Amino acid sequence: MTNENLKDKLLTAFQANEANLNGVSKTALHQKRREAIQYFEKLGFPTTKHEEWKYSNVSPLTKEGFELNASTDFGYEDVKMLDIPKLKGNILYFVNGIYNAELSVIVSPAEQLTIYNWAEALKNKPELLDTYFAQYANYQNDAFTALNTAFAHDGVVIEVPDNTVVEEPVILRFITDARTANVAAQPRNLIVAGKNTEVKVAESYRTVGENAGFVNTVTEIVLGENANVQHYKIQNDGQKSHHIGTTQVNQADNSHFYSVTVTINGGFVRNNLNIVLNGQHCEAFMYGLYFPNGKQHVDNHTLVDHAKPNSYSNELYKGILKDKSTGVFNGKIFVRPDAQKTNAYQSCRNVVLSDDASMNTKPQLEIYADDVKCSHGTTTGKLNDEAIFYMRSRGIPLAEAQTLLMYAFCEDVISQIKIDPIRAYLEEMIAQKLAE
Amino acid sequence: MLKITDLQAAVDGKEILKGINLEVNPGEVHAIMGPNGSGKSTLASVLAGRDSYEITGGSVTFEGKDLLEFSPEVRAAEGIFLAFQYPVEIPGVTTINFLKTALNEIRKYRGEEPLDAAQFLKRMRERAKFVNIDDALLKRSLNEGFSGGEKKRNEIFQMAMLEPKLAMLDETDSGLDIDALRIVAEGVNKLRSPERAIIVVTHYQRLLDYIVPDFVHVLYKGRIVKSGPKELAFELEEKGYDWIKAEVEAATV
């Protein structure tokens, strides 16, 4: 198959979907989809000649065949296998991109938050999608966002009304059921946190089965004044999975956003985290952790756009690379002319354990204001030999000493996850992965 | 217990130890003194198993076993302990977690059951008193941001926890004021026993006022050039190392 095949297949599928829409095709929402597919057609899948994709090659993805609407019998028995001990809260399952009501549990009272899948949102709150959908994630220049926007028809729509603290976390579990075929899924999520709100949302991506998966996801998060949103993205996909995800965040005055992205496994992973600090006295914290081994590839692209004065952003990404794995960190910080008194910090630290593994880091600071504090730093090194000898001299065997040190290296990121059962679960998964 | 015979070691092709002979029996305290660069710390590191040194000759047996064949962790499990001159800071690993792992690995090697949390805590509280070390300090990352004195006290605390048969203290007095020195020395003295041997590596005599050795050896240019009773340390304090150097140079001419 050639590069064009997946693209053509998707374009054909779009037309076929449209033919089944019966009248819905005239809605404003669908007009956006149609606009998006045109952009996708024009942009095509990026090649490594594209500056933003220089180190992340999607051509193997475009040569793979995927079922766009794969059937699945993923059910209760399978959920047990993926159980996160002691986890309580609103837990929603999406299997191959489609909401599964039977597996999902919503516990928060409706006055604290509304959680809809797309079908419910279109029926009960169409104005929410009309107001916010595709207003923030840029589909004009990003082929994958354009593709997701064109195919957007399921995912979660969350609204936290003004002056509300949501006590229970929202856990979104996106399952790629690749047990019988190569599958593609394009979840589209919208989180709107009103004024003076607090909510924790975790997105978990998990592949079951050995076939290839293609998950192209976009989450738009809109923070009102004085909103506090904690957003976690946890990835544990298969060796043959391709994950391309964009988290697009828009912050109003005095809002606080915390992001933690942890990639345990995934054949090809590209995470885009774009935050627009579109208000004063905002704070944005971005943490990331990745452990590629084998031939895994993990690419984190972050963009922090300081659009208004007096805001603060701080970023810490850390990785441990083994075997023939590759990693990319690209961190862009924009400080616009208006955004005086900006504080923006960025740090990316990596441990490369094999001569065949490689890490590409690229900080990009574009500062157009003169009264700002910005800094960035990247380090790539090996484990500290002196620390290993110290541990061994106390009786700790070499392999254990290495694992302890690697684990310690991750600690300041893991500790940012404030949903205790998820953190405990991750700690266990990470310990397992590091011992591999 | 420890028998070092004609031990030679080099780093990057440069010979540092040029034939060390030393025998240490249970219950004895040996001081190894000598000017800077004489090879004192190298000797301690080689015995602990630091792999940046190349052993170019000689042998070391510990309780009859060939020590040089063992990895550092096996040496520790066999009962060897090195208090570091520069204890390493390890962010993200608490002292408690570190020691619990170490202790239980050593127990595993010896075929003993691991200590449970309560037993471990009991032992920890008891031994922490030896060197006046605070609970709060032990909950922090290992040595991270510790003062010089806290780091050295933590070394002796680790020794108390791991109960080695042979402890080597590498310049444990360096960087300590007199009060800290006294606390550390008192901790070591509490750990003296008829079964345990201690090798004190030091440049200055002052530590030996508190930890009184049975034997003093002077290391110079990679060899033990003089051995004697504790009084030898006073002589060195008074006269410096020059007379020893002169003696050695005279003998080699």
Side-chain angles (χ1 to χ4, degrees):
Chain A
M1 285 196 261
T2 68
N3 200 329
E4 292 308 299
N5 271 359
L6 184 60
K7 184 181 169 188
D8 290 346
K9 191 173 173 184
L10 288 160
L11 293 173
T12 310
F14 182 85
Q15 284 169 357
N17 286 352
E18 211 169 31
N20 294 330
L21 283 175
N22 301 329
V24 184
S25 64
K26 297 278 187 295
T27 62
L29 187 141
H30 188 70
Q31 290 310 311
K32 265 184 206 163
R33 288 186 186 130
R34 189 177 279 168
E35 206 190 325
I37 198 76
Q38 284 161 5
Y39 276 106
F40 172 71
E41 187 170 9
K42 196 179 87 188
L43 293 165
F45 286 112
T47 68
T48 51
K49 286 186 188 127
H50 193 298
E51 188 58 28
E52 299 294 318
W53 293 87
K54 196 172 169 187
Y55 300 107
S56 292
N57 185 359
V58 297
S59 84
L61 161 73
T62 62
K63 285 172 189 155
E64 194 88 65
F66 294 98
E67 283 195 35
L68 301 182
N69 299 299
S71 64
T72 170
D73 56 3
F74 185 89
Y76 279 114
E77 287 306 307
D78 305 304
V79 166
K80 278 185 202 158
M81 191 171 73
L82 306 179
D83 185 48
I84 297 174
K86 295 184 187 158
L87 182 62
K88 292 200 185 83
N90 305 286
I91 306 179
L92 282 76
Y93 279 86
F94 295 83
V95 184
N96 295 346
I98 306 300
Y99 180 65
N100 185 319
E102 274 179 36
L103 300 176
S104 302
V105 183
I106 293 173
V107 295
S108 289
E111 64 270 21
Q112 269 187 22
L113 88 162
T114 49
I115 305 181
Y116 292 134
N117 62 51
W118 266 60
E120 291 165 340
L122 286 169
K123 197 168 118 203
N124 302 325
K125 275 231 164 152
E127 70 278 12
L128 205 58
L129 284 171
D130 285 342
T131 311
Y132 296 107
F133 168 67
Q135 290 300 318
Y136 304 96
N138 179 321
Y139 57 84
Q140 289 86 356
N141 296 314
D142 182 314
F144 286 100
T145 299
L147 188 59
N148 176 285
T149 305
F151 281 85
H153 68 294
D154 209 353
V156 77
V157 177
I158 296 173
E159 187 185 27
V160 183
D162 291 353
N163 310 312
T164 313
V165 173
V166 183
E167 283 150 27
E168 301 290 341
V170 180
I171 319 292
L172 308 172
R173 303 202 71 177
F174 297 96
I175 309 291
T176 305
D177 182 1
R179 288 178 295 189
T180 53
N182 289 355
V183 296
Q186 303 203 63
R188 177 69 177 225
N189 307 305
L190 172 65
I191 301 167
V192 181
K195 290 178 189 169
N196 310 314
T197 54
E198 225 179 285
V199 66
K200 295 189 183 84
V201 180
E203 290 179 31
S204 131
Y205 293 87
R206 182 78 184 245
T207 303
V208 293
E210 299 300 319
N211 291 296
F214 169 36
V215 174
N216 178 31
T217 173
V218 173
T219 300
E220 286 174 294
I221 304 174
V222 187
L223 288 85
E225 283 173 30
N226 203 29
N228 180 322
V229 174
Q230 312 248 350
H231 181 257
Y232 311 132
K233 182 172 179 183
I234 294 150
Q235 300 167 295
N236 196 359
D237 283 316
Q239 300 304 328
K240 287 200 215 163
S241 70
H242 308 260
H243 177 104
I244 289 115
T246 293
T247 305
Q248 184 74 40
V249 183
N250 192 72
Q251 291 188 241
D253 287 348
N254 299 303
S255 62
H256 295 238
F257 181 73
Y258 301 82
S259 161
V260 186
T261 304
V262 181
T263 308
I264 308 268
N265 279 299
F268 178 97
V269 177
R270 166 65 173 254
N271 295 315
N272 300 311
L273 172 59
N274 305 327
I275 299 178
V276 182
L277 294 160
N278 207 4
Q280 295 204 41
H281 306 287
C282 296
E283 290 189 355
F285 294 85
M286 295 145 276
Y287 298 92
L289 204 51
Y290 38 94
F291 315 93
N293 65 347
K295 289 182 175 174
Q296 295 178 350
H297 176 82
V298 179
D299 175 350
N300 281 291
H301 264 63
T302 67
L303 165 63
V304 186
D305 182 353
H306 281 269
K308 299 273 165 70
N310 299 311
S311 285
Y312 174 91
S313 68
N314 199 340
E315 178 167 20
L316 174 64
Y317 272 69
K318 286 181 149 188
I320 298 174
L321 293 90
K322 289 186 182 174
D323 307 329
K324 292 184 173 175
S325 65
T326 46
V328 178
F329 173 79
N330 190 110
K332 205 181 275 185
I333 299 175
F334 263 126
V335 181
R336 301 212 198 169
D338 253 8
Q340 298 294 359
K341 306 279 180 199
T342 286
N343 284 307
Y345 304 100
Q346 180 190 94
S347 171
C348 178
R349 297 179 57 197
N350 299 285
V351 175
V352 179
L353 294 175
S354 140
D355 290 342
D356 297 324
S358 66
M359 181 72 208
N360 282 295
T361 54
K362 186 177 173 192
Q364 282 177 282
L365 275 59
E366 292 187 28
I367 300 170
Y368 300 102
D370 49 18
D371 185 13
V372 302
K373 282 185 193 155
C374 291
S375 74
H376 68 88
T378 62
T379 59
T380 297
K382 303 209 172 288
L383 288 176
N384 179 350
D385 286 338
E386 191 60 22
I388 287 181
F389 176 63
Y390 189 58
M391 296 172 118
R392 294 177 80 187
S393 80
R394 298 296 182 254
I396 301 173
L398 176 62
E400 257 85 341
Q402 288 169 333
T403 305
L404 259 176
L405 272 190
M406 289 190 276
Y407 196 77
F409 175 79
C410 307
E411 181 52 33
D412 51 354
V413 174
I414 302 171
S415 61
Q416 298 303 326
I417 292 182
K418 308 296 183 196
I419 304 174
D420 294 346
I422 291 190
R423 191 180 57 248
Y425 181 69
L426 265 181
E427 282 170 351
E428 200 174 302
M429 306 273 275
I430 290 168
Q432 268 178 34
K433 172 91 189 204
L434 291 179
E436 265 176 27
Chain B
M1 178 187 257
L2 179 76
K3 193 165 190 294
I4 304 174
T5 311
D6 193 28
L7 180 65
Q8 296 157 48
V11 61
D12 297 329
K14 189 172 178 276
E15 210 172 23
I16 309 229
L17 301 181
K18 297 173 183 169
I20 302 276
N21 293 290
L22 180 66
E23 197 162 343
V24 177
N25 296 307
E28 294 176 352
V29 175
H30 290 247
I32 295 182
M33 302 185 69
N36 288 330
S38 58
K40 304 184 301 281
S41 289
T42 299
L43 176 61
S45 290
V46 164
L47 294 176
R50 190 189 286 272
D51 63 7
S52 44
Y53 298 97
E54 190 195 345
I55 310 296
T56 50
S59 67
V60 181
T61 59
F62 182 69
E63 297 186 317
K65 296 170 195 163
D66 182 356
L67 190 69
L68 301 178
E69 283 297 303
F70 292 146
S71 63
E73 53 268 36
V74 170
R75 294 181 201 204
E78 287 283 342
I80 292 202
F81 180 89
L82 171 66
F84 280 52
Q85 181 178 5
Y86 304 109
V88 184
E89 297 194 6
I90 307 188
V93 179
T94 62
T95 304
I96 294 179
N97 189 22
F98 172 67
L99 271 179
K100 199 172 177 190
T101 309
L103 189 61
N104 284 332
E105 287 291 344
I106 289 175
R107 292 178 70 88
K108 190 158 95 188
Y109 177 86
R110 294 175 184 166
E112 297 164 359
E113 288 294 307
L115 290 187
D116 64 31
Q119 291 166 318
F120 178 81
L121 277 178
K122 184 166 172 279
R123 184 194 280 222
M124 199 182 78
R125 296 236 161 85
E126 196 182 286
R127 309 289 158 96
K129 286 184 198 140
F130 286 16
V131 281
N132 256 333
I133 208 161
D134 202 50
D135 240 20
L137 204 64
L138 301 177
K139 286 177 185 156
R140 280 168 47 186
S141 286
L142 186 58
N143 295 323
E144 193 186 28
F146 286 23
S147 70
E150 286 168 340
K151 283 181 183 169
K152 296 300 173 81
R153 265 151 61 196
N154 193 11
E155 292 295 288
I156 304 308
F157 166 64
Q158 292 177 34
M159 173 180 163
M161 289 296 286
L162 301 178
E163 300 181 329
K165 295 174 190 162
L166 170 67
M168 300 179 287
L169 314 182
D170 187 7
E171 309 257 1
T172 296
D173 50 337
S174 69
L176 294 188
D177 63 29
I178 198 72
D179 294 324
L181 183 71
R182 194 180 295 128
I183 293 170
V184 166
E186 279 168 11
V188 174
N189 285 330
K190 283 176 195 154
L191 294 168
R192 284 180 80 155
S193 85
E195 295 81 39
R196 180 171 293 134
I198 298 174
I199 295 175
V200 182
V201 173
T202 181
H203 184 78
Y204 300 105
Q205 180 263 340
R206 62 173 194 166
L207 178 64
L208 305 179
D209 285 342
Y210 299 97
I211 307 172
V212 181
D214 301 304
F215 304 96
V216 176
H217 310 278
V218 181
L219 198 62
Y220 179 58
K221 288 191 172 172
R223 286 192 186 91
I224 290 177
V225 293
K226 205 169 189 66
S227 294
K230 63 174 184 272
E231 288 76 16
L232 176 57
F234 299 123
E235 205 175 345
L236 288 168
E237 180 71 5
E238 206 178 296
K239 304 202 280 192
Y241 286 107
D242 285 347
W243 63 282
I244 300 246
K245 292 181 188 173
E247 263 187 33
V248 174
E249 306 304 336
T252 48
V253 170

